[in-house]
């Protein structure tokens, strides 16, 4: 936790008290498929070290979680009370919102008067996201009467991309990113007053497209 606090303090100091001349950026991006992600990122690259930047990334996504195999502790319909396989779940709805503090490293290429920081910029990024994740199991056969639950967690993300200038102060970028967090929720059945604990490892691999304004 001390490491997380140190990263937060460092990013806030650099975003609010960096050199007088620096390149600010604001990104919007999305990926729409069987699962989806939308988000925006704001920050700046430093003038004295133009390959180094910091940012704050706010994004929402809904990972697709297919049917999962169940193991039941206790009596099972097939007979016996020593536990056993309990079939599979249906689709589990998961919605997450995350705020990430990011480190950006870029390689400015094709510099010119109209693109002093490079018209082509390969980059890598890493961050510490804070997740709010809501799990709703009402589409499953086993937990359709259970209420959903929300969990707060810390994870990590890493990515790589390339940005290309398409107009003055405007770049188009494509980025691959990987995010990870662990979520623990209790699915409550209000009628039977029972709880079902559920633990998820949320690993997402996404490719996003976006626009980046520079000034």
């Amino acid at each position: 936790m001390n490491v997380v606090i140190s990263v937060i303090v460092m990013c806030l100091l650099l975003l609010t008290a960096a050199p007088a001349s620096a390149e600010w950026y604001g990104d919007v991006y999305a990926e729409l498929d069987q699962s989806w992600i939308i988000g925006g990122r704001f920050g700046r690259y430093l003038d004295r070290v133009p390959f180094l930047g910091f940012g704050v990334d706010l994004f929402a996504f809904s990972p697709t979680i297919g049917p999962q195999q169940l193991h039941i502790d206790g009596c099972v319909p097939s007979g016996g009370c020593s536990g056993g396989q309990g079939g599979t779940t249906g689709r589990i709805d998961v919605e997450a919102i995350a705020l990430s503090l990011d480190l950006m490293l870029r390689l400015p290429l094709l510099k010119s008067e109209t693109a002093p920081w490079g018209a082509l910029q390969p980059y890598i990024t890493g961050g510490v996201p804070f997740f709010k994740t809501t799990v709703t199991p009402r589409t499953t056969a086993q937990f359709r009467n259970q209420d959903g639950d929300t969990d707060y967690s810390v994870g990590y993300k890493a990515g790589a991309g390339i940005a290309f200038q398409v107009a003055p102060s405007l770049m188009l970028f494509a980025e691959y990113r990987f995010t990870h967090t662990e979520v623990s929720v209790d699915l409550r059945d209000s009628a039977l007053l029972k709880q079902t604990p559920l633990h998820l490892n949320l690993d997402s691999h996404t490719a996003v497209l976006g626009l980046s304004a520079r000034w």
Side-chain angles (χ1 to χ4, degrees):
M1 183 59 67
N2 290 334
V3 174
V4 173
I5 294 175
S6 298
V7 172
I8 295 173
V9 172
M10 181 182 68
C11 288
L12 291 177
L13 288 175
L14 286 169
L15 284 174
T16 58
S21 177
E23 183 188 13
W24 292 87
Y25 66 89
D27 301 341
V28 291
Y29 58 84
E31 187 265 352
L32 302 176
D33 201 347
Q34 293 181 352
S35 59
W36 56 266
I37 178 172
I38 57 174
R41 182 168 51 203
F42 173 77
R44 65 176 165 186
Y45 289 95
L46 307 183
D47 184 58
R48 294 176 183 175
V49 278
F51 61 85
L52 175 64
F54 297 89
V56 177
D57 188 12
L58 176 64
F59 58 98
F61 69 100
S62 178
T64 299
I65 300 179
Q68 304 294 306
Q69 184 68 46
L70 292 177
H71 180 86
I72 297 177
D73 294 325
C75 300
V76 296
S78 58
C81 290
S82 59
Q85 298 298 323
T88 59
T89 68
R91 181 173 59 87
I92 299 175
D93 292 335
V94 177
E95 294 184 357
I97 298 175
L99 180 67
S100 178
L101 302 174
D102 289 2
L103 172 70
M104 309 285 291
L105 295 173
R106 67 177 176 178
L107 180 61
L109 301 175
L110 304 181
K111 295 182 180 180
S112 66
E113 292 184 1
T114 58
W117 303 114
L120 184 67
Q121 298 178 9
Y123 65 90
I124 59 175
T125 178
V128 181
F130 299 82
F131 290 88
K132 176 186 177 183
T133 308
T134 301
V135 179
T136 305
R138 295 188 185 278
T139 57
T140 67
Q142 292 81 3
F143 307 122
R144 67 179 58 189
N145 294 322
Q146 267 86 351
D147 295 327
D149 193 16
T150 298
D151 183 52
Y152 297 87
S153 60
V154 178
Y156 60 85
K157 76 183 182 79
I162 187 166
F164 182 74
Q165 183 171 307
V166 293
S169 302
L170 186 65
M171 304 192 81
L172 177 69
F173 69 91
E175 178 181 314
Y176 161 80
R177 59 171 55 188
F178 169 77
T179 62
H180 167 82
T181 192
E182 296 184 13
V183 177
S184 294
V185 295
D186 291 320
L187 307 180
R188 299 176 179 84
D189 189 326
S190 56
L192 299 177
L193 301 179
K194 291 183 178 181
Q195 295 187 116
T196 302
L198 179 65
H199 183 84
L200 299 174
N201 286 316
L202 290 184
D203 294 332
S204 66
H205 300 265
T206 53
V208 302
L209 291 175
L211 288 174
S212 179
R214 307 294 175 97
W215 64 95

